[in-house]
Amino acid sequence: MNKSVSQTDLHQLETERLILRPFRIKDAKHIFEIRSNEDVMKFMDSSFHGSIEDSEKFVADNIKNQREGKGYYWAITDKSTGEFMGDFSIWSVDKKNDRGQIGYSLKKQYWKSGYMTEAMNEILLYGFKELGLHSYEANINPMNEDSRKCLEKIGFNKEAYFRENYFFKGQYLDSEIYCLIKSDLI
Ligand SMILES: CC(C)(COP(=O)(O)OP(=O)(O)OC[C@H]1O[C@@H](n2cnc3c(N)ncnc32)[C@H](O)[C@@H]1OP(=O)(O)O)[C@@H](O)C(=O)NCCC(=O)NCCS
């Protein structure tokens, strides 16, 4: 590897409308906007960020994980303005089985414009071709219609439905598991 290129810089990608670039600490303010918004968090089933410090820790942890090869994290940005629109992660990489869990979100003003499908398609292809991944898994709240639609558009299959397997905020929630294997996309 060229020593002037850091590991985190290797993963910048481009689509028709987007630049998908590695996270920077300065992205914390955007992550805070996303993870403190009730509509965005409605079916994420993870903790709200109550302060910018929560988001700084989140971004710093993700950057560390990426450096250690445990996951990959992208900022989804507008190609023409550079504006931060959302995030996409392949987290919890299972190296033995070349399998990654995915997670994603967009600021609300960028919903319903096809941006997530565009980003997801590019990143998942990159993972198969360049990161040596063989399959992906997405775990969604069954009420998260918009997330399900993204996954189905890409070609994910529903492989499991777990009843009340996830305890969050005083309730046992159901989960749907969607999967994509390399031959589904390539
Ligand atoms: C999940 C989430 C990213 C989906 O966003 P989204 O905007 O619905 O998905 P896309 O960016 O792929 O856009 C698809 C929609 O844009 C519409 N669209 C408009 N212009 C388009 C274009 N040029 N190209 C493609 N689609 C376009 C499509 O018709 C589609 O709408 P539909 O779902 O009503 O059919 C978003 O709802 C979100 O951030 N939710 C909160 C976080 C979350 O729940 N994350 C998932 C946790 S599992």
Side-chain angles (χ1 to χ4, degrees):
M1 194 207 319
N2 177 344
K3 284 201 176 123
S4 63
V5 179
S6 79
Q7 186 65 33
T8 47
D9 288 337
L10 288 175
H11 307 302
Q12 178 152 316
L13 305 171
E14 194 172 328
T15 68
E16 194 186 335
R17 297 178 293 173
L18 306 169
I19 298 284
L20 312 165
R21 58 154 179 81
F23 267 172
R24 302 171 187 148
I25 285 288
K26 278 200 286 189
D27 295 330
K29 64 175 187 289
H30 300 290
I31 294 295
F32 181 61
E33 187 180 330
I34 289 175
R35 288 186 172 250
S36 60
N37 180 296
E38 281 195 17
D39 292 331
V40 176
M41 295 302 283
K42 189 167 179 191
F43 300 123
M44 290 268 271
D45 304 332
S46 62
S47 301
F48 268 75
H49 287 190
S51 68
I52 187 76
E53 285 77 23
D54 291 344
S55 305
E56 283 168 355
K57 182 177 182 321
F58 176 88
V59 173
D61 287 348
N62 289 350
I63 291 172
K64 181 168 175 282
N65 281 348
Q66 174 147 319
R67 213 176 282 131
E68 292 170 358
K70 294 178 183 161
Y72 303 93
Y73 306 85
W74 285 269
I76 300 171
T77 66
D78 185 310
K79 196 185 214 172
S80 52
T81 63
E83 191 63 31
F84 186 107
M85 305 161 83
D87 63 289
F88 192 99
S89 57
I90 305 175
W91 61 280
S92 184
V93 173
D94 167 1
K95 287 190 179 158
K96 178 174 178 289
N97 300 304
D98 300 321
R99 187 172 179 88
Q101 292 251 10
I102 62 167
Y104 42 88
S105 58
L106 284 175
K107 289 185 185 179
K108 198 171 174 193
Q109 65 265 37
Y110 297 114
W111 291 7
K112 298 294 166 195
S113 304
Y115 291 125
M116 188 51 79
T117 312
E118 189 171 321
M120 189 182 289
N121 192 56
E122 188 68 23
I123 290 171
L124 298 184
L125 269 173
Y126 176 79
F128 283 145
K129 289 181 178 168
E130 307 297 334
L131 301 175
L133 294 170
H134 181 74
S135 65
Y136 300 107
E137 189 172 311
N139 180 332
I140 69 165
N141 182 317
M143 287 190 288
N144 199 342
E145 280 292 333
D146 289 341
S147 184
R148 177 187 297 106
K149 277 200 248 176
C150 278
L151 296 170
E152 286 177 342
K153 253 179 279 175
I154 297 284
F156 275 77
N157 289 301
K158 185 165 120 180
E159 295 193 352
Y161 188 106
F162 294 121
R163 292 180 306 143
E164 300 189 2
N165 72 324
Y166 182 62
F167 188 71
F168 183 68
K169 286 193 178 162
Q171 292 181 71
Y172 294 99
L173 302 175
D174 291 357
S175 310
E176 277 184 8
I177 310 298
Y178 280 78
C179 302
L180 185 84
I181 60 172
K182 194 170 180 178
S183 57
D184 292 331
L185 200 61
I186 298 179

